[in-house]
Amino acid sequence: MDFGYPQNLSPEILKLYITQEGVRSPFSSKPSDKPVPNATLQVTGAVGWRREGLVYKKNEVFLDIVESVNLLMSSKGSVLRCDVTGKILMKCFLSGMPDLKLGLNDKIGLEKESQLKSRPAKSGKTIELDDVTFHQCVNLTRFNSEKTVSFVPPDGEFELMKYRITEGVNLPFRVLPTIKELGRTRMEVNVKVKSVFGAKMFALGVVIKIPVPKQTAKTSFQVTSGRAKYNAATDCLIWKIRKFPGQTEPTMSAEVELISTMAEKKSWTRPPIQMEFQVPMFTASGLRVRFLKVWEKSGYNTVEWVRYITKAGSYEIRC
């Protein structure tokens, strides 16, 4: 503490001092089990986010790349706005003071690596990362010179980096809607959804919300996959597919009956179709982990786990 203000606000370190247990009486004869952590060393040390002397039976690193796809597509099928926001989440259970090095297939990193090794860059999918922000543990001087992400990780769970990608986005789904208004009391809705990712992959919890007018009275559906129903609270036809395999094209056709109103006919604004989904082992940006190296002076073996997942952010298709 400096004049009553804490100088280290890392949650991992604060947890050592802010506990949920009772306060021990100074007259208690029972000796304290836990050694008192050295706060001064923690604040003034080079690695303020990790305490020394950590020991694990099994040394493991879990790395999750989680991406959200944001899309706005016109009724004719052209992309009006598209970007991916992603984050790399880590969970470290490592003994001692390990030094980690992460390599991604980003364009700048691969070009820098080929310059340092004086050999041509390997051909393959490279991506350009925008708006990259790192956790405080990342060595920024090394990143600026070598373009590699090297760091001494905090113990447990933390967010290593955030990024955004605006070019070369692989859209997981294409939606082809046709909505016909047949007079004042009937509508025909046909929606085809195509999964563009690999045939061996599948999406989970896919929900397609198709807006309909407020005066909807009755609906009837035909679906080739999943289930569809009308939700009066949100004025939407909701089509749910629990498991959606890649390279497939399920369709939904619905007949909507409307209540004929005597009031002046206002033209229906046609809000966009919205989608929710989750695609494991797929990245819309094409980001891939090329390597994750762990160095520690004791030289123990580490188990690394890497997982990719793509979710829907604001995924909208005008109809």
Side-chain angles (χ1 to χ4, degrees):
M1 303 283 271
D2 193 358
F3 294 101
Y5 294 100
Q7 292 301 306
N8 190 343
L9 296 175
S10 170
E12 287 76 23
I13 305 308
L14 291 175
K15 277 177 198 166
L16 298 173
Y17 306 101
I18 303 166
T19 61
Q20 300 297 312
E21 296 164 15
V23 178
R24 185 181 294 279
S25 164
F27 306 107
S28 171
S29 58
K30 198 177 174 190
S32 173
D33 300 333
K34 291 181 184 175
V36 178
N38 190 339
T40 318
L41 184 70
Q42 207 69 64
V43 175
T44 56
V47 185
W49 52 86
R50 185 182 179 90
R51 63 191 172 95
E52 289 187 9
L54 290 165
V55 180
Y56 286 101
K57 253 184 192 175
K58 195 176 181 184
N59 292 292
E60 293 180 298
V61 181
F62 297 87
L63 192 133
D64 287 358
I65 292 180
V66 182
E67 293 191 340
S68 293
V69 194
N70 302 308
L71 168 77
L72 181 61
M73 191 176 266
S74 75
S75 54
K76 301 219 168 86
S78 59
V79 176
L80 303 173
R81 189 191 72 237
C82 183
D83 69 88
V84 172
T85 54
K87 52 189 175 183
I88 298 180
L89 304 170
M90 288 194 83
K91 209 185 269 186
C92 291
F93 303 112
L94 298 171
S95 307
M97 275 286 178
D99 195 2
L100 274 69
K101 194 174 176 183
L102 175 69
L104 305 165
N105 62 334
D106 63 305
K107 197 177 181 182
I108 305 163
L110 286 169
E111 281 173 4
K112 192 74 185 175
E113 193 178 286
S114 61
Q115 281 172 21
L116 292 168
K117 293 182 178 175
S118 63
R119 63 169 84 137
K122 288 178 186 175
S123 60
K125 170 121 172 103
T126 60
I127 57 164
E128 285 194 47
L129 298 172
D130 306 322
D131 308 335
V132 182
T133 54
F134 292 110
H135 186 272
Q136 62 166 354
C137 67
V138 175
N139 186 334
L140 293 177
T141 45
R142 203 163 163 190
F143 179 76
N144 289 334
S145 59
E146 297 174 30
K147 295 297 174 201
T148 54
V149 182
S150 57
F151 55 99
V152 175
D155 186 41
E157 217 169 315
F158 68 101
E159 189 180 278
L160 179 68
M161 65 181 266
K162 282 195 281 197
Y163 59 90
R164 199 166 65 91
I165 282 164
T166 50
E167 287 178 20
V169 176
N170 308 315
L171 293 174
F173 292 99
R174 288 206 167 269
V175 182
L176 306 164
T178 48
I179 295 175
K180 290 178 189 170
E181 293 185 51
L182 309 170
R184 290 182 63 174
T185 57
R186 275 184 68 237
M187 269 176 72
E188 250 182 34
V189 178
N190 291 299
V191 179
K192 185 194 280 185
V193 182
K194 187 180 180 184
S195 50
V196 189
F197 46 88
K200 288 182 180 176
M201 290 190 258
F202 51 85
L204 297 170
V206 178
V207 180
I208 302 114
K209 295 177 182 174
I210 305 115
V212 288
K214 275 191 187 312
Q215 65 267 29
T216 299
K218 194 178 168 192
T219 53
S220 58
F221 298 97
Q222 275 187 316
V223 288
T224 56
S225 177
R227 288 179 176 184
K229 64 173 185 179
Y230 167 59
N231 187 324
T234 55
D235 299 315
C236 282
L237 306 179
I238 295 176
W239 180 18
K240 290 183 181 179
I241 302 169
R242 205 158 52 90
K243 196 172 176 180
F244 197 133
Q247 301 296 320
T248 55
E249 286 185 29
T251 55
M252 182 202 81
S253 55
E255 281 197 12
V256 180
E257 286 183 32
L258 308 172
I259 300 164
S260 181
T261 54
M262 296 302 289
E264 190 185 330
K265 175 87 169 92
K266 279 186 183 175
S267 60
W268 180 47
T269 52
R270 291 200 180 198
I273 291 171
Q274 294 179 323
M275 263 193 96
E276 292 171 18
F277 55 80
Q278 207 163 300
V279 191
M281 302 316 290
F282 171 82
T283 54
S285 64
L287 188 74
R288 283 277 174 270
V289 173
R290 292 188 301 120
F291 60 82
L292 178 62
K293 295 174 182 173
V294 181
W295 283 284
E296 217 277 329
K297 58 187 175 188
S298 60
Y300 55 70
N301 289 328
T302 316
V303 183
E304 292 105 14
W305 305 89
V306 180
R307 187 172 63 165
Y308 302 93
I309 196 153
T310 293
K311 297 176 179 177
S314 168
Y315 207 88
E316 296 185 337
I317 299 93
R318 287 181 180 169
C319 50

